[in-house]
């Protein structure tokens, strides 16, 4: 089976890309993932997870600076699609699952990630962080 990026199995090729630290990058991340999950019958969960992780990198870490940005990596594992967002770290935030009051607008992104993934995690600190999730592709 050929895994050349321009071959017929392009949808299964692992990929890595840098995105600039700008809100418009979130849409580009969704497109990046969608284009490479053509083998997934239901790619929506993977796209949503990538979208939440990328938004967090932009909003809560140094990756929000245009020239710093963040990396998104897509790999294929036996469990499903592994999506990793590598950000530039934060001196003041660490990822956690918040328990926002019902009328609070924010704080549900990682809840969604937790529900949509087979497994997820985060490791890093003030200088860099990787947050990842594995999403089943039915
Ligand atoms: N990559 C990250 N690095 C450091 N802190 C993070 C990161 N991602 C999330 N956090 C922290 O975890 C908290 C919870 O993240 P979560 O995505 O659930 O909520 P939110 O981003 O605040 O709001 P929402 O996702 O609903 O817009 C964030 O408020 C932030 O403090
Ligand atoms: Mg969030």
């Amino acid at each position: 089976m050929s895994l050349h990026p321009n071959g017929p199995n392009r949808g299964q090729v692992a990929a890595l890309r840098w995105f600039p630290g700008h809100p418009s990058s979130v849409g580009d991340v969704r497109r990046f993932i969608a284009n490479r999950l053509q083998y997934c019958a239901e790619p929506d969960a993977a796209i949503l997870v990538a979208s939440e992780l990328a938004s967090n990198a932009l909003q809560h870490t140094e990756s929000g600076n245009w020239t710093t940005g963040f990396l998104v990596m897509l790999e294929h594992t036996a469990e499903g699609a592994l999506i990793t967002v590598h950000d530039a770290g934060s001196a003041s935030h660490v990822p956690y699952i918040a328990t926002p009051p019902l009328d609070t607008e924010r704080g549900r992104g990682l809840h969604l990630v937790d529900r949509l993934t087979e497994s997820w995690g985060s490791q890093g600190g003030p200088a860099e962080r990787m947050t990842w999730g594995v999403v089943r592709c039915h």
Side-chain angles (χ1 to χ4, degrees), residues 18-109:
W18 175 83
F19 294 86
H22 186 269
S24 64
S25 288
V26 179
D28 293 334
V29 168
R30 291 189 201 105
R31 207 166 295 113
F32 170 74
I33 296 294
N35 285 342
R36 285 162 183 80
L37 288 186
Q38 290 154 11
Y39 72 101
C40 279
E42 295 169 31
D44 293 1
I47 294 166
L48 186 46
V49 166
S51 180
E52 291 301 324
L53 297 184
S55 297
N56 281 349
L58 282 168
Q59 290 165 11
H60 306 302
T61 81
E62 295 302 317
S63 290
N65 298 321
W66 172 272
T67 50
T68 307
F70 59 96
L71 279 168
V72 177
M73 209 157 50
L74 173 67
E75 295 163 84
H76 306 287
T77 72
E79 269 193 308
L82 166 61
I83 295 154
T84 305
V85 172
H86 196 147
D87 66 47
S90 166
S92 50
H93 294 282
V94 288
Y96 68 99
I97 296 190
T99 48
L102 292 176
D103 53 2
T104 300
E105 244 178 80
R106 306 286 307 275
R108 295 184 182 82

